[in-house]
C-alpha cells in the first residue's frame, strides 16, 4: 500500500491508499488575492496567521505555503520570493504543528522553503518540463522529500488523458533515475473545468485509477478547478470530491474553510472505511450543529477544536 | 450498453449505463408513515396526490407506489392491498405522466398493479427466495416488464457481499430460464448502514461494479439506508450517491424532495458526462437560488417546473 510520509516538527501525516483523504489547505497564497499581496508587501502577516489557524481548525492536515507575490517595489520574484517564503514558513510553523507544502515556481523559493522547513514537507511542484525536472528532482533527492508532479510538459497541458498519464509516467521514471521512489511522487493529473470539457470528470476518475494501479502513486489536484465558471460551484465540488475519492484520489489542494466540501470529504472517508466507528463524523456533526445555530463554519470549527484541546489538556493535568 | 426501458402512458425513461441516474421517488408508501396509513384507510388520497406532484417536480423520473398498509378494519393485506394498489396507481397516473414502480410483497397486489398500469412499469420486487422466484418471475414474463431483484434469499440477508453477488447471479440465471433478459433485471445489492457495518460503503461500490461488469445488470438501492442511525444523515447520503454513481450505480429508490441529495445527483450526472452542456445543472441552479431566497425546495422545484411548462406552452402557442 502506497504511503507518502509528511512531517512537521512533531506530527506525521500519511497520504495513502488506506488513509483518510488528505486535505491540503490552499489559502496561504497571494496569487489572485490582491489584498493579501498588498499586506505581504507591507510586511503585514495577519491574514497569513488567520488563514493558518482557521484552515487547521477546519480540518486541513497539511498547509500549502505559496509566496508568489509580485511586489510593486521590486518586480523580480527571483529576488523577493525566497526571503518571503522563508519568512512565511517560519511564521506558519511557529503557529501550527502541521506538515507544510512548499509551493513555488521559483527554484530559489523552493530551496529557501526546504531550508526553513522543519520535518518532511511536500515540495510543490515538478512538471514533465525538462528544465523543471533538472532543477527540482535534485532538490527532492537532496532533502529527501516527497514532491507533487503535475502532468504537463514542454508541449503544455494536453487535453488527452493518455498523454497526461504518459507525462506522469515519465516523471516517475526520471525520479527513479535519481533514486526517488514512486511513493514519494504525488501526481496531479490536472483537473479541467467540466463546464468547458464535458469529459473532465470521467477523465480524472480514470486517470486516478491508472496512476494508482499502474504507477503505484498517490494523487492530488486543485479540486475547485472542476467547477470553474459554473453557478453553485460548491455543489459540483461536493460531488466531485467523493467521486474522486471513490476512484482512489488520496489528497487535494483546496479550501478547507468551505463547509460543503469538508462535509463531503468527511462523509466519503466514513464510506471508504477510513473513519473508525464514525468518530470523526460524529465530532464533525457537532460543528454542523453549531453552524445551524448561527455560527460560521470557521468559528464553529475553531470553537470545536479549542474545546477538544481543552479537554485533552484537562486530562493531562489530572494525570 | 445495458438499457432498462420503462414507460408511462406517453413517456419513456431508460435506466442505463449511459444515462443520467434514475431517481425513483419513494414517498408514496404508507409503511412507517402512520398518518398516511390512516388517511388511506379513511379513503383520503390527498397526501398521495401531493407526494406524486411534488416528487416529479423535484426530479423523480419514476414513482414507486407501495400500498402496504394494514387496515385496523381488516388486518389481511392479501385482501386489502390489491384494490388499494389499483386505486393508487390509477390516481397517480391520472396526475403525472411518469413511469411507475409497483412495490409490494403481496403477489395479488403486484398482479393488480400490473393490470392497472399503463405503459411498462418496473416491478418491485423479486428476491432469491424460491417461493418468491416462482411467484414473481411468471408475472414478469407475462407482462414483459423489468423487475427489481433484491439479493437476499431463503437464508436471509448475508453480510458477505460475495454471497449477495451469488444470489443476484442466481436470480439472473433463473430469470433467463423464463426468457427474461439480464437488462430487465435491476439488482438491489442491499445497502447496509455504515454506522453498523464499517465496510458497508465499500461493499456496495464493489458489488455494483461486479453486477455491471459480470452480469450486465443495472442496479438500484434504498439509498438512505446507508446513513441509518447517524447524525446529519443527509450529509452521508449526499456523498454516498455520487460515490455509488461513480462506481456504476444507475438508479436509487429515494426521497427526491431532499435538496442535498438531489443536488449531489445532478452534480454527479454532470461529472459523469450525462448532462450535455450542463443544461440540467444550470436549470437546477435556478431552483437553488429560489431556495436561497427563502422558498422550500419543493416549492422552488414546483415553481421552476411550472415556469418551464408555461414557457413550452407559450412557444407551442406561438408556433
Amino acid at each position: 500500500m502506497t504511503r507518502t510520509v509528511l512531517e512537521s516538527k512533531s506530527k506525521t501525516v500519511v497520504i495513502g491508499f488506506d488513509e483518510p483523504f488528505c486535505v491540503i489547505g490552499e489559502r496561504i497564497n497571494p496569487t489572485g488575492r490582491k489584498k493579501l499581496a498588498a499586506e505581504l508587501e507591507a510586511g503585514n502577516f495577519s491574514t497569513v496567521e488567520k488563514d493558518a489557524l482557521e484552515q487547521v481548525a477546519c480540518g486541513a492536515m497539511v498547509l500549502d505555503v505559496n509566496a508568489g507575490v509580485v511586489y510593486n517595489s521590486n518586480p523580480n520574484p527571483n529576488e523577493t520570493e525566497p526571503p518571503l517564503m522563508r519568512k512565511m514558513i517560519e511564521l506558519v510553523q511557529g503557529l501550527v504543528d502541521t506538515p507544510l507544502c512548499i509551493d513555488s515556481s521559483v527554484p530559489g523559493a523552493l530551496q529557501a522553503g526546504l531550508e526553513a522547513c522543519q520535518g518532511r514537507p511536500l515540495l510543490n511542484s515538478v512538471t514533465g518540463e525538462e528544465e523543471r525536472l533538472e532543477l527540482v528532482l535534485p532538490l527532492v533527492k537532496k532533502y529527501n522529500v516527497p514532491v507533487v508532479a503535475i502532468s504537463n510538459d514542454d508541449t503544455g497541458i494536453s487535453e488527452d488523458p493518455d498523454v497526461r498519464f504518459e507525462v506522469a509516467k515519465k516523471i516517475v521514471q526520471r525520479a527513479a533515475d535519481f533514486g526517488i521512489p514512486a511513493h514519494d511522487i504525488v501526481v496531479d493529473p490536472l483537473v479541467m473545468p467540466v463546464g468547458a470539457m464535458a469529459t473532465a470528470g470521467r477523465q480524472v476518475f480514470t486517470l486516478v485509477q491508472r496512476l494508482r494501479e499502474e504507477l503505484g502513486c498517490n494523487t492530488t489536484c486543485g479540486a475547485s478547478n472542476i467547477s470553474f465558471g459554473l453557478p453553485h460551484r460548491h455543489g459540483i465540488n461536493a460531488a466531485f470530491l467523493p467521486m474522486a475519492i471513490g476512484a482512489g484520489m488520496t489528497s487535494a489542494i483546496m479550501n478547507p474553510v468551505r463547509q460543503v466540501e469538508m462535509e463531503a470529504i468527511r462523509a466519503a472517508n466514513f464510506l471508504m472505511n477510513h473513519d473508525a466507528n464514525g468518530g470523526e463524523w460524529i465530532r464533525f456533526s457537532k460543528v454542523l450543529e453549531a453552524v445551524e445555530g448561527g455560527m460560521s463554519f470557521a468559528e464553529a470549527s475553531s470553537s470545536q477544536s479549542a474545546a477538544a484541546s481543552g479537554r485533552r489538556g484537562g486530562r493531562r493535568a489530572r494525570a
Side-chain angles (χ1 to χ4, degrees), chain A residues 21-288:
Chain A
F21 191 70
C22 180
V23 174
I24 304 172
E26 72 182 6
R27 298 282 297 154
I28 303 176
N29 186 344
T31 315
R33 293 180 77 186
K34 277 190 187 168
K35 188 161 166 282
L36 175 57
E39 280 178 21
L40 293 177
E41 186 169 2
N44 170 1
F45 291 87
S46 57
T47 298
V48 173
E49 291 174 1
K50 175 172 175 286
D51 283 342
L53 293 168
E54 214 170 68
Q55 290 183 103
V56 172
C58 289
M61 295 155 77
V62 174
L63 294 185
D64 189 89
V65 178
N66 183 311
V69 59
V70 176
Y71 288 166
N72 291 319
S73 53
N74 180 352
N76 183 356
N78 290 310
E79 289 176 14
T80 59
E81 214 180 301
L84 181 61
M85 176 66 88
R86 183 188 303 271
K87 165 81 185 164
M88 284 166 79
I89 283 179
E90 285 168 355
L91 184 75
V92 170
Q93 68 190 0
L95 279 172
V96 294
D97 189 13
T98 302
L100 301 183
C101 177
I102 303 168
D103 183 4
S104 181
S105 55
V106 172
L110 291 179
Q111 172 89 41
L114 286 164
E115 286 165 6
C117 238
Q118 298 168 324
R120 191 169 199 250
L122 179 61
L123 203 63
N124 188 6
S125 58
V126 71
T127 67
E129 296 162 295
E130 282 304 322
E131 190 192 341
R132 192 88 187 153
L133 285 165
E134 294 304 319
L135 273 168
V136 177
L137 291 181
L139 283 178
V140 170
K141 178 63 183 172
K142 178 178 170 194
Y143 286 88
N144 179 29
V145 290
V147 67
V148 173
I150 305 185
S151 47
N152 64 301
D153 65 8
D154 297 285
T155 65
I157 298 176
S158 173
E159 294 200 353
D160 180 345
D162 291 336
V163 173
R164 300 213 300 284
F165 178 81
E166 290 304 324
V167 173
K169 192 170 167 183
K170 180 179 96 172
I171 300 173
V172 168
Q173 286 169 341
R174 194 67 70 86
D177 294 342
F178 281 84
I180 301 160
H183 67 244
D184 274 340
I185 313 287
V186 180
V187 177
D188 180 343
L190 285 165
V191 172
M192 311 285 189
V194 70
M197 185 193 284
T199 56
R202 297 187 81 146
Q203 277 194 2
V204 170
F205 307 145
T206 306
L207 267 168
V208 163
Q209 269 184 313
R210 289 191 66 194
L211 291 164
R212 181 175 176 133
E213 286 164 16
E214 298 177 38
L215 302 185
C217 283
N218 277 312
T219 41
T220 197
C221 67
S224 66
N225 205 38
I226 193 74
S227 60
F228 181 78
L230 291 169
H232 286 274
R233 59 187 298 189
H234 297 290
I236 303 277
N237 298 350
F240 173 74
L241 285 160
M243 292 174 90
I245 292 170
M249 189 167 279
T250 46
S251 69
I253 301 173
M254 54 176 282
N255 183 353
V257 188
R258 298 292 317 195
Q259 177 191 326
V260 283
E261 282 90 334
M262 290 305 284
E263 185 172 348
I265 287 174
R266 288 178 186 281
N269 281 339
F270 196 178
L271 293 163
M272 292 296 279
N273 196 11
H274 293 152
D275 178 5
N277 303 312
E280 284 295 318
W281 180 260
I282 288 162
R283 196 194 63 76
F284 185 70
S285 74
K286 308 281 183 202
V287 174
L288 296 178

